[in-house]
Coordinates of all heavy atoms in Angstrom, one line a residue:
D678 N -85.5 98.9 -45.2 CA -86.2 99.5 -44.1 C -87.3 98.6 -43.5 O -87.5 98.5 -42.3 CB -86.7 100.9 -44.4 CG -85.6 101.9 -44.7 OD1 -84.4 101.6 -44.4 OD2 -85.9 103.0 -45.3
G679 N -88.0 98.0 -44.5 CA -89.1 97.1 -44.1 C -88.6 95.9 -43.4 O -89.2 95.4 -42.4
L680 N -87.5 95.4 -43.8 CA -86.9 94.2 -43.1 C -86.4 94.6 -41.7 O -86.6 93.9 -40.8 CB -85.7 93.7 -43.9 CG -86.0 93.1 -45.3 CD1 -84.6 92.7 -46.0 CD2 -86.8 91.8 -45.1
A681 N -85.9 95.9 -41.6 CA -85.5 96.3 -40.3 C -86.7 96.5 -39.4 O -86.6 96.2 -38.2 CB -84.8 97.7 -40.4
R682 N -87.8 96.9 -39.9 CA -89.0 97.1 -39.1 C -89.5 95.7 -38.5 O -89.9 95.6 -37.4 CB -90.2 97.7 -39.9 CG -89.9 99.1 -40.4 CD -91.2 99.7 -40.9 NE -92.0 100.1 -39.8 CZ -93.3 100.5 -39.9 NH1 -93.9 100.6 -41.1 NH2 -94.0 100.8 -38.8
V683 N -89.4 94.7 -39.4 CA -89.8 93.4 -38.9 C -88.8 92.9 -37.9 O -89.2 92.3 -36.8 CB -90.0 92.4 -40.1 CG1 -90.3 91.0 -39.6 CG2 -91.1 92.8 -41.0
A684 N -87.5 93.1 -38.2 CA -86.5 92.6 -37.2 C -86.7 93.3 -35.9 O -86.5 92.7 -34.8 CB -85.1 92.9 -37.8
A685 N -87.0 94.6 -35.9 CA -87.2 95.4 -34.7 C -88.3 94.9 -33.8 O -88.4 95.2 -32.6 CB -87.4 96.8 -35.0
L686 N -89.2 94.1 -34.4 CA -90.3 93.5 -33.5 C -89.8 92.5 -32.5 O -90.4 92.3 -31.5 CB -91.4 92.8 -34.4 CG -92.1 93.7 -35.4 CD1 -92.9 92.7 -36.4 CD2 -93.1 94.6 -34.7
E687 N -88.6 92.0 -32.9 CA -87.9 91.0 -32.0 C -88.9 89.9 -31.5 O -89.0 89.6 -30.3 CB -87.2 91.6 -30.9 CG -86.1 92.5 -31.3 CD -85.2 93.1 -30.2 OE1 -85.7 93.1 -29.0 OE2 -84.1 93.5 -30.5
L688 N -89.7 89.3 -32.5 CA -90.7 88.3 -32.1 C -90.0 87.1 -31.5 O -89.0 86.6 -32.1 CB -91.4 87.9 -33.4 CG -92.2 89.0 -34.1 CD1 -93.0 88.3 -35.3 CD2 -93.2 89.7 -33.2
A689 N -90.5 86.7 -30.3 CA -89.9 85.5 -29.7 C -90.6 84.3 -30.3 O -91.8 84.3 -30.5 CB -90.2 85.6 -28.2
E690 N -89.8 83.3 -30.7 CA -90.3 82.1 -31.3 C -91.3 82.4 -32.4 O -92.4 82.0 -32.4 CB -90.9 81.2 -30.3 CG -89.9 80.7 -29.3 CD -90.5 79.7 -28.3 OE1 -91.4 78.9 -28.7 OE2 -90.1 79.7 -27.1
P691 N -90.8 83.2 -33.4 CA -91.7 83.7 -34.5 C -92.2 82.5 -35.4 O -91.6 81.5 -35.6 CB -90.9 84.6 -35.3 CG -89.5 84.1 -35.1 CD -89.4 83.6 -33.7
L692 N -93.4 82.8 -35.8 CA -94.0 81.9 -36.9 C -94.3 82.8 -38.1 O -95.2 83.7 -37.9 CB -95.2 81.1 -36.4 CG -95.9 80.3 -37.5 CD1 -95.0 79.2 -38.0 CD2 -97.3 79.8 -37.0
A693 N -93.6 82.7 -39.2 CA -93.8 83.6 -40.3 C -94.7 82.8 -41.3 O -94.4 81.7 -41.7 CB -92.5 84.0 -40.9
L694 N -95.8 83.5 -41.8 CA -96.7 82.9 -42.7 C -96.5 83.6 -44.1 O -97.1 84.7 -44.2 CB -98.1 83.0 -42.2 CG -98.3 82.4 -40.8 CD1 -99.8 82.5 -40.4 CD2 -98.0 80.9 -40.8
P695 N -95.8 83.1 -45.0 CA -95.4 83.8 -46.2 C -96.5 83.6 -47.4 O -97.3 82.7 -47.3 CB -94.1 83.1 -46.7 CG -94.3 81.7 -46.2 CD -95.1 81.7 -45.0
G696 N -96.4 84.5 -48.4 CA -97.3 84.4 -49.5 C -96.9 83.3 -50.5 O -97.7 82.8 -51.3
H697 N -95.7 82.8 -50.4 CA -95.3 81.7 -51.2 C -94.3 80.8 -50.4 O -93.5 81.3 -49.7 CB -94.5 82.1 -52.5 CG -95.3 83.1 -53.3 ND1 -96.2 82.6 -54.3 CD2 -95.4 84.4 -53.3 CE1 -96.7 83.7 -54.9 NE2 -96.3 84.8 -54.3
G698 N -94.5 79.5 -50.5 CA -93.6 78.6 -49.7 C -94.2 78.3 -48.3 O -95.3 78.7 -48.0
D699 N -93.4 77.5 -47.6 CA -93.9 77.0 -46.3 C -93.8 78.0 -45.2 O -92.8 78.7 -45.2 CB -93.2 75.7 -45.9 CG -93.5 74.5 -46.9 OD1 -94.6 74.5 -47.5 OD2 -92.6 73.7 -47.1
P700 N -94.7 77.9 -44.2 CA -94.5 78.7 -43.0 C -93.1 78.4 -42.4 O -92.6 77.3 -42.5 CB -95.6 78.2 -42.1 CG -96.7 77.8 -43.0 CD -96.0 77.2 -44.2
F701 N -92.5 79.4 -41.8 CA -91.1 79.2 -41.3 C -90.9 79.9 -40.0 O -91.6 80.9 -39.6 CB -90.1 79.6 -42.3 CG -90.1 81.0 -42.8 CD1 -89.2 81.9 -42.3 CD2 -91.0 81.5 -43.7 CE1 -89.2 83.3 -42.6 CE2 -91.1 82.8 -44.0 CZ -90.2 83.7 -43.5
T702 N -89.8 79.5 -39.3 CA -89.6 80.1 -37.9 C -88.2 80.8 -37.9 O -88.0 81.6 -37.0 CB -89.5 78.9 -36.9 OG1 -88.5 78.0 -37.3 CG2 -90.8 78.3 -36.7

Side-chain angles (χ1 to χ4, degrees):
D678 291 347
L680 293 174
R682 295 194 75 189
V683 175
L686 297 170
E687 296 187 341
L688 298 182
E690 299 183 32
L692 174 65
L694 305 179
H697 304 270
D699 293 332
F701 61 102
T702 54

